[in-house]
Amino acid sequence: SIVRSRRRPRGCLGEDTCRRPPVGAMKEMFQDMYYQLKEMRPRTLAHQVLNLCMIVCSALMIWKSLMVLTESESPVVVVLSGSMEPAFHRGDILFLHMGYAPFRAGDIVVFKVADRDIPIVHRVIKVHEKPTGVVDILTKGDNNSVDDRGLYAAGQSWINKEHIIGRAKGYLPYIGMVTIIMNDYPLLKYCLVGLMGLFVLTSKE
């Protein structure tokens, strides 16, 4: 007798996977996680919660360590606009380091100004060193036609070192788009964070 084998559609791991629609599979996965959490013993649940807390504390410790090593209050930032194209694009992740070297024209810096919650990443175009030791800095986006005086606080023509978070020392292209999407859609961010927490709580290892 001749037995003809049926080819599974690409991406199928087994019969159940092929027959089950993606939405149904996701629903079943959430149900399994819910029942695992519901049937978990209090001691086991406390152990899993402790694991989750340790992960969060480890992430905070790594961030604080980076702040010390880079001498910057925000060692990693995401580019949110196209004002620095073609050097950096929206969604690029920048790695910052402050250092003690004097600022020079051409440095790419991330700085804060009054009344603006989001830092700005632009290039230094002028540096004016006063006899008193105060250094005035003027910045401009590579893709902008004018300098940043219109972005500074009212009556402010220069920024100083205290406004600067750090200098860009490296970058990863477009990786930060995930952060931008989550900031644009807060509900998605909360869902992803909650899902990650559920995975940690229901994991068996």
Side-chain angles (χ1 to χ4, degrees):
S1 62
I2 301 174
V3 179
R4 294 183 178 178
S5 62
R6 290 187 302 168
R7 290 185 63 187
R8 293 175 182 167
R10 183 177 295 178
C12 291
L13 301 176
E15 295 294 331
D16 292 339
T17 311
C18 295
R19 291 174 184 171
R20 210 182 307 159
V23 176
M26 288 289 291
K27 184 178 179 182
E28 186 173 332
M29 182 186 69
F30 282 118
Q31 286 178 344
D32 290 342
M33 293 171 68
Y34 170 74
Y35 287 122
Q36 284 182 32
L37 205 58
K38 189 176 180 181
E39 296 172 1
M40 199 174 287
R41 294 179 180 180
R43 185 172 181 177
T44 306
L45 180 60
H47 182 264
Q48 296 297 79
V49 171
L50 185 60
N51 285 339
L52 179 60
C53 293
M54 287 179 65
I55 291 172
V56 173
C57 290
S58 298
L60 288 174
M61 287 175 63
I62 291 171
W63 183 258
K64 291 294 184 181
S65 299
L66 286 174
M67 289 175 62
V68 173
L69 291 173
T70 61
E71 301 164 8
S72 171
E73 65 181 75
S74 183
V76 180
V77 296
V78 178
V79 179
L80 299 179
S81 72
S83 63
M84 277 300 292
E85 293 181 0
F88 301 123
H89 297 80
R90 176 177 163 86
D92 290 354
I93 287 183
L94 302 184
F95 301 100
L96 307 184
H97 184 272
M98 177 62 79
Y100 296 101
F103 292 97
R104 293 289 179 258
D107 289 347
I108 297 175
V109 297
V110 177
F111 60 93
K112 285 182 177 180
V113 292
D115 303 325
R116 287 181 179 268
D117 297 328
I118 301 175
I120 300 169
V121 50
H122 279 172
R123 191 182 301 274
V124 176
I125 59 171
K126 286 183 182 179
V127 177
H128 179 60
E129 299 179 2
K130 296 181 178 180
T132 57
V134 176
V135 179
D136 289 336
I137 299 168
L138 181 63
T139 56
K140 174 183 172 297
D142 290 357
N143 201 29
N144 293 345
S145 56
V146 295
D147 59 45
D148 291 341
R149 285 195 169 105
L151 300 176
Y152 300 159
Q156 184 178 356
S157 300
W158 306 82
I159 60 172
N160 307 110
K161 185 176 180 180
E162 57 265 24
H163 298 107
I164 295 176
I165 299 173
R167 313 178 215 222
K169 294 296 183 180
Y171 78 103
L172 286 175
Y174 302 114
I175 303 296
M177 285 303 298
V178 176
T179 304
I180 293 175
I181 292 170
M182 288 196 295
N183 285 335
D184 290 343
Y185 302 96
L187 183 60
L188 176 62
K189 175 172 65 177
Y190 298 138
C191 288
L192 288 175
V193 171
L195 186 61
M196 289 173 62
L198 279 175
F199 272 123
V200 174
L201 290 175
T202 57
S203 63
K204 296 180 180 179
E205 295 183 359

PDB file of all heavy atoms in Angstrom, residues 171-184:
ATOM      1  N   TYR A 171      26.216  55.085  18.820  1.00  0.00           N
ATOM      2  CA  TYR A 171      24.773  54.967  18.581  1.00  0.00           C
ATOM      3  C   TYR A 171      24.426  53.611  17.953  1.00  0.00           C
ATOM      4  O   TYR A 171      25.289  52.927  17.389  1.00  0.00           O
ATOM      5  CB  TYR A 171      24.278  56.102  17.685  1.00  0.00           C
ATOM      6  CG  TYR A 171      24.576  55.933  16.212  1.00  0.00           C
ATOM      7  CD1 TYR A 171      23.578  55.529  15.326  1.00  0.00           C
ATOM      8  CD2 TYR A 171      25.861  56.161  15.706  1.00  0.00           C
ATOM      9  CE1 TYR A 171      23.857  55.369  13.974  1.00  0.00           C
ATOM     10  CE2 TYR A 171      26.140  56.007  14.368  1.00  0.00           C
ATOM     11  CZ  TYR A 171      25.131  55.612  13.501  1.00  0.00           C
ATOM     12  OH  TYR A 171      25.409  55.441  12.164  1.00  0.00           O
ATOM     13  N   LEU A 172      23.161  53.246  18.083  1.00  0.00           N
ATOM     14  CA  LEU A 172      22.599  52.073  17.407  1.00  0.00           C
ATOM     15  C   LEU A 172      21.423  52.554  16.571  1.00  0.00           C
ATOM     16  O   LEU A 172      20.497  53.174  17.110  1.00  0.00           O
ATOM     17  CB  LEU A 172      22.133  51.027  18.420  1.00  0.00           C
ATOM     18  CG  LEU A 172      23.211  50.219  19.135  1.00  0.00           C
ATOM     19  CD1 LEU A 172      22.571  49.326  20.190  1.00  0.00           C
ATOM     20  CD2 LEU A 172      24.010  49.387  18.158  1.00  0.00           C
ATOM     21  N   PRO A 173      21.429  52.317  15.266  1.00  0.00           N
ATOM     22  CA  PRO A 173      20.372  52.867  14.413  1.00  0.00           C
ATOM     23  C   PRO A 173      19.018  52.196  14.616  1.00  0.00           C
ATOM     24  O   PRO A 173      18.922  50.973  14.675  1.00  0.00           O
ATOM     25  CB  PRO A 173      20.907  52.612  12.998  1.00  0.00           C
ATOM     26  CG  PRO A 173      21.843  51.461  13.137  1.00  0.00           C
ATOM     27  CD  PRO A 173      22.446  51.591  14.501  1.00  0.00           C
ATOM     28  N   TYR A 174      17.982  53.034  14.785  1.00  0.00           N
ATOM     29  CA  TYR A 174      16.566  52.654  14.757  1.00  0.00           C
ATOM     30  C   TYR A 174      16.109  51.727  15.889  1.00  0.00           C
ATOM     31  O   TYR A 174      14.923  51.402  15.963  1.00  0.00           O
ATOM     32  CB  TYR A 174      16.211  51.998  13.411  1.00  0.00           C
ATOM     33  CG  TYR A 174      16.491  52.899  12.231  1.00  0.00           C
ATOM     34  CD1 TYR A 174      17.475  52.579  11.302  1.00  0.00           C
ATOM     35  CD2 TYR A 174      15.774  54.082  12.049  1.00  0.00           C
ATOM     36  CE1 TYR A 174      17.740  53.401  10.219  1.00  0.00           C
ATOM     37  CE2 TYR A 174      16.026  54.913  10.972  1.00  0.00           C
ATOM     38  CZ  TYR A 174      17.019  54.574  10.063  1.00  0.00           C
ATOM     39  OH  TYR A 174      17.275  55.392   8.995  1.00  0.00           O
ATOM     40  N   ILE A 175      16.990  51.300  16.782  1.00  0.00           N
ATOM     41  CA  ILE A 175      16.585  50.396  17.847  1.00  0.00           C
ATOM     42  C   ILE A 175      15.581  51.075  18.787  1.00  0.00           C
ATOM     43  O   ILE A 175      14.715  50.427  19.374  1.00  0.00           O
ATOM     44  CB  ILE A 175      17.808  49.910  18.656  1.00  0.00           C
ATOM     45  CG1 ILE A 175      18.827  49.241  17.726  1.00  0.00           C
ATOM     46  CG2 ILE A 175      17.398  48.938  19.746  1.00  0.00           C
ATOM     47  CD1 ILE A 175      18.336  47.992  17.062  1.00  0.00           C
ATOM     48  N   GLY A 176      15.690  52.383  18.902  1.00  0.00           N
ATOM     49  CA  GLY A 176      14.822  53.108  19.830  1.00  0.00           C
ATOM     50  C   GLY A 176      13.405  53.321  19.339  1.00  0.00           C
ATOM     51  O   GLY A 176      12.589  53.911  20.058  1.00  0.00           O
ATOM     52  N   MET A 177      13.072  52.846  18.125  1.00  0.00           N
ATOM     53  CA  MET A 177      11.697  52.994  17.633  1.00  0.00           C
ATOM     54  C   MET A 177      10.708  52.289  18.548  1.00  0.00           C
ATOM     55  O   MET A 177       9.553  52.705  18.660  1.00  0.00           O
ATOM     56  CB  MET A 177      11.588  52.438  16.208  1.00  0.00           C
ATOM     57  CG  MET A 177      12.204  53.324  15.142  1.00  0.00           C
ATOM     58  SD  MET A 177      11.537  55.012  15.097  1.00  0.00           S
ATOM     59  CE  MET A 177       9.809  54.715  14.714  1.00  0.00           C
ATOM     60  N   VAL A 178      11.148  51.226  19.209  1.00  0.00           N
ATOM     61  CA  VAL A 178      10.273  50.518  20.155  1.00  0.00           C
ATOM     62  C   VAL A 178       9.865  51.466  21.286  1.00  0.00           C
ATOM     63  O   VAL A 178       8.693  51.533  21.667  1.00  0.00           O
ATOM     64  CB  VAL A 178      10.992  49.279  20.727  1.00  0.00           C
ATOM     65  CG1 VAL A 178      10.124  48.592  21.774  1.00  0.00           C
ATOM     66  CG2 VAL A 178      11.352  48.311  19.608  1.00  0.00           C
ATOM     67  N   THR A 179      10.818  52.228  21.804  1.00  0.00           N
ATOM     68  CA  THR A 179      10.529  53.192  22.871  1.00  0.00           C
ATOM     69  C   THR A 179       9.583  54.279  22.385  1.00  0.00           C
ATOM     70  O   THR A 179       8.654  54.682  23.104  1.00  0.00           O
ATOM     71  CB  THR A 179      11.840  53.827  23.374  1.00  0.00           C
ATOM     72  OG1 THR A 179      12.728  52.795  23.798  1.00  0.00           O
ATOM     73  CG2 THR A 179      11.577  54.781  24.522  1.00  0.00           C
ATOM     74  N   ILE A 180       9.797  54.769  21.162  1.00  0.00           N
ATOM     75  CA  ILE A 180       8.934  55.816  20.607  1.00  0.00           C
ATOM     76  C   ILE A 180       7.508  55.317  20.464  1.00  0.00           C
ATOM     77  O   ILE A 180       6.545  56.008  20.812  1.00  0.00           O
ATOM     78  CB  ILE A 180       9.491  56.299  19.248  1.00  0.00           C
ATOM     79  CG1 ILE A 180      10.827  57.019  19.460  1.00  0.00           C
ATOM     80  CG2 ILE A 180       8.495  57.214  18.550  1.00  0.00           C
ATOM     81  CD1 ILE A 180      11.510  57.417  18.175  1.00  0.00           C
ATOM     82  N   ILE A 181       7.346  54.096  19.953  1.00  0.00           N
ATOM     83  CA  ILE A 181       6.004  53.524  19.773  1.00  0.00           C
ATOM     84  C   ILE A 181       5.308  53.370  21.118  1.00  0.00           C
ATOM     85  O   ILE A 181       4.116  53.681  21.264  1.00  0.00           O
ATOM     86  CB  ILE A 181       6.097  52.172  19.038  1.00  0.00           C
ATOM     87  CG1 ILE A 181       6.551  52.385  17.596  1.00  0.00           C
ATOM     88  CG2 ILE A 181       4.753  51.444  19.056  1.00  0.00           C
ATOM     89  CD1 ILE A 181       6.894  51.112  16.855  1.00  0.00           C
ATOM     90  N   MET A 182       6.044  52.910  22.136  1.00  0.00           N
ATOM     91  CA  MET A 182       5.427  52.732  23.453  1.00  0.00           C
ATOM     92  C   MET A 182       5.060  54.069  24.090  1.00  0.00           C
ATOM     93  O   MET A 182       4.074  54.162  24.813  1.00  0.00           O
ATOM     94  CB  MET A 182       6.370  51.938  24.361  1.00  0.00           C
ATOM     95  CG  MET A 182       6.477  50.467  23.996  1.00  0.00           C
ATOM     96  SD  MET A 182       7.207  49.445  25.294  1.00  0.00           S
ATOM     97  CE  MET A 182       8.869  50.113  25.338  1.00  0.00           C
ATOM     98  N   ASN A 183       5.860  55.123  23.828  1.00  0.00           N
ATOM     99  CA  ASN A 183       5.511  56.449  24.346  1.00  0.00           C
ATOM    100  C   ASN A 183       4.304  57.031  23.619  1.00  0.00           C
ATOM    101  O   ASN A 183       3.492  57.739  24.216  1.00  0.00           O
ATOM    102  CB  ASN A 183       6.697  57.399  24.219  1.00  0.00           C
ATOM    103  CG  ASN A 183       7.767  57.130  25.254  1.00  0.00           C
ATOM    104  OD1 ASN A 183       7.487  56.597  26.308  1.00  0.00           O
ATOM    105  ND2 ASN A 183       9.002  57.493  24.958  1.00  0.00           N
ATOM    106  N   ASP A 184       4.196  56.731  22.315  1.00  0.00           N
ATOM    107  CA  ASP A 184       3.042  57.214  21.543  1.00  0.00           C
ATOM    108  C   ASP A 184       1.761  56.473  21.909  1.00  0.00           C
ATOM    109  O   ASP A 184       0.662  57.019  21.787  1.00  0.00           O
ATOM    110  CB  ASP A 184       3.315  57.066  20.039  1.00  0.00           C
ATOM    111  CG  ASP A 184       4.382  58.033  19.541  1.00  0.00           C
ATOM    112  OD1 ASP A 184       4.667  59.016  20.261  1.00  0.00           O
ATOM    113  OD2 ASP A 184       4.931  57.816  18.444  1.00  0.00           O
TER     114      ASP A 184
END
